[in-house]
Amino acid sequence: MRLYRFLTEVDDAKFCHKVTVALNKGWHLYGSPTYAYDKKEKIMRCGQAVVKDVDGEEYKPGETKLGDW
């Protein structure tokens, strides 16, 4: 199965750590990072898509917990 996640966080070290954890669990960057201004909170937010292939497993919507992989 191929898994997809979109990681988001405030534009600070937390975002980099979140992406680094995913990379160390075998996820791969998918596309370029994105940035957006959160008008309500008056802060910048980052986003990065990541994907991971898991052989021998079947994706089950609602049951597959992406963070566990």
Side-chain angles (χ1 to χ4, degrees), residues 46-69:
C46 300
Q48 174 66 58
V50 292
V51 294
K52 183 176 187 177
D53 291 317
V54 181
D55 294 332
E57 297 288 334
E58 182 180 337
Y59 176 71
K60 297 175 185 166
E63 293 180 33
T64 302
K65 304 225 183 292
L66 300 174
D68 290 348
W69 295 97

Side-chain angles (χ1 to χ4, degrees), residues 6-37:
F6 188 72
L7 306 173
T8 62
E9 188 59 71
V10 174
D11 184 13
D12 63 12
K14 288 181 189 177
F15 175 72
C16 294
H17 289 292
K18 187 182 274 191
V19 173
T20 299
V21 167
L23 293 174
N24 280 282
K25 286 185 171 186
W27 292 82
H28 300 277
L29 299 178
Y30 185 79
S32 299
T34 60
Y35 300 92
Y37 183 68

